[in-house]
Amino acid sequence: MGLSMATLLAQHNEVTAVDVIPEKVEMINRKQSPIQDEYIEKYLAEKPLHLTATLDGAAAYRDADFVVIAAPTNYDVQKNFFDTTHVEEVIDLVLSVNKHAVMVIKSTIPVGYTDSLYKRYGEINLLFSPEFLRESKALYDNLYPSRIIVGYPLARLQSAAEQFAHLLQQGAIKQDIPTLFMGTTEAEAVKLFANTYLALRVSYFNELDTYAEMKDLDTAAIIRGVCLDPRIG
């Protein structure tokens, strides 16, 4: 997700990608993708991107206008919560070198998390913009997004939210992208309910398949018939 966002934005902006793995940084600086994604591979090889990679986060953040945080937030089954440690490490480092930067969380986080960070850090510039990307299709989904959502909690950050949305629109190929602005907690809820609805669809059609198998029916024929209803898709 981070590399797809960096590639998208580097078409029209100076972008520095920060990673902790030297091999990945070296590959990006050689215009090679460290992940399997057809569009990222193509753009790195063929497009005149303004993109460099580094291990030095402090140097990268020092003069940044926007810092997009795409750190891993793995779900901890023991604590029944997302592990947001890496997100907070980035925020701490950004604040230590550039208090004026606008930070945009792209990581998957629990509902209410951004608001909790405002209570913890006080006067910071923090937005939340959920991503809706498929594995191995991340850049394609950023070039042709279904929608752009930016959450901001305070009126003083409205301009920053609009500017960030413009940067995403500028890098996309799709025109007239539905763009919504809302509170950060509402934006977090959009991500949660989009994810759970998609999981529900998977579970539903798995149940359909189990039923068809038990009754010795043609699963594909049933799914085709069901999904021609435009309300189902």
Side-chain angles (χ1 to χ4, degrees), residues 140-159:
Y140 179 90
D141 289 340
N142 269 324
L143 294 168
Y144 300 93
S146 58
R147 70 280 208 199
I148 292 171
I149 294 175
V150 184
Y152 65 96
L154 303 168
R156 66 176 176 82
L157 289 172
Q158 179 178 348
S159 177

Side-chain angles (χ1 to χ4, degrees), residues 5 8-9 66 102 104 106 127 129 142 145 147-152 157-172 177-181:
M5 185 62 52
L8 178 85
L9 295 173
F66 287 91
V102 176
V104 185
K106 277 282 183 182
L127 311 175
S129 179
N142 269 324
R147 70 280 208 199
I148 292 171
I149 294 175
V150 184
Y152 65 96
L157 289 172
Q158 179 178 348
S159 177
E162 292 172 349
Q163 186 179 355
F164 184 71
H166 172 72
L167 294 177
L168 300 182
Q169 294 165 346
Q170 183 185 46
I177 305 163
T179 303
L180 303 177
F181 299 96

Side-chain angles (χ1 to χ4, degrees), residues 4-230:
S4 70
M5 185 62 52
T7 305
L8 178 85
L9 295 173
Q11 296 175 91
H12 303 287
N13 307 275
E14 294 290 338
V15 175
T16 303
V18 179
D19 205 293
V20 297
I21 302 174
E23 292 78 13
K24 286 188 176 182
V25 168
E26 291 168 7
M27 288 186 71
I28 294 169
N29 287 330
R30 293 197 305 265
K31 308 299 182 186
Q32 297 175 337
S33 176
I35 60 174
Q36 183 180 349
D37 186 298
E38 178 185 356
Y39 274 76
I40 290 178
E41 293 167 6
K42 180 179 178 66
Y43 271 57
L44 286 176
E46 301 176 7
K47 296 284 186 178
L49 302 176
H50 309 288
L51 175 62
T52 57
T54 183
L55 296 167
D56 190 346
Y61 307 146
R62 189 165 285 116
D63 297 317
D65 296 313
F66 287 91
V67 176
V68 180
I69 303 174
T73 53
N74 297 324
Y75 192 77
D76 189 325
V77 294
Q78 300 298 325
K79 296 180 180 178
N80 197 31
F81 207 72
F82 288 99
D83 181 359
T84 56
T85 304
H86 297 305
V87 173
E88 288 151 28
E89 289 171 349
V90 175
I91 292 173
D92 288 337
L93 184 54
V94 172
L95 292 176
S96 71
V97 297
N98 185 357
K99 294 183 182 297
H100 300 293
V102 176
M103 295 173 283
V104 185
I105 297 177
K106 277 282 183 182
S107 303
T108 300
I109 54 177
V111 175
Y113 177 69
T114 307
D115 187 55
S116 73
L117 292 177
Y118 271 91
K119 292 175 182 176
R120 172 178 167 181
Y121 289 98
E123 196 80 3
I124 56 174
N125 302 316
L126 187 63
L127 311 175
F128 175 70
S129 179
E131 52 80 19
F132 306 100
L133 310 178
R134 296 169 294 170
E135 189 174 351
S136 299
K137 296 282 187 180
L139 181 54
Y140 179 90
D141 289 340
N142 269 324
L143 294 168
Y144 300 93
S146 58
R147 70 280 208 199
I148 292 171
I149 294 175
V150 184
Y152 65 96
L154 303 168
R156 66 176 176 82
L157 289 172
Q158 179 178 348
S159 177
E162 292 172 349
Q163 186 179 355
F164 184 71
H166 172 72
L167 294 177
L168 300 182
Q169 294 165 346
Q170 183 185 46
I173 294 174
K174 182 179 176 180
Q175 300 294 308
D176 301 320
I177 305 163
T179 303
L180 303 177
F181 299 96
M182 60 188 70
T184 53
T185 305
E186 285 78 7
E188 292 162 351
V190 168
K191 174 64 174 175
L192 168 69
F193 285 106
N195 279 2
T196 52
Y197 181 76
L198 292 172
L200 180 67
R201 282 178 60 90
V202 171
S203 298
Y204 180 85
F205 282 98
N206 281 341
E207 289 297 315
L208 184 157
D209 180 59
T210 299
Y211 175 87
E213 186 174 339
M214 290 173 59
K215 302 292 185 180
D216 196 26
L217 304 175
D218 184 342
T219 299
I222 299 170
I223 290 176
R224 280 196 300 270
V226 168
C227 292
L228 283 174
D229 186 328

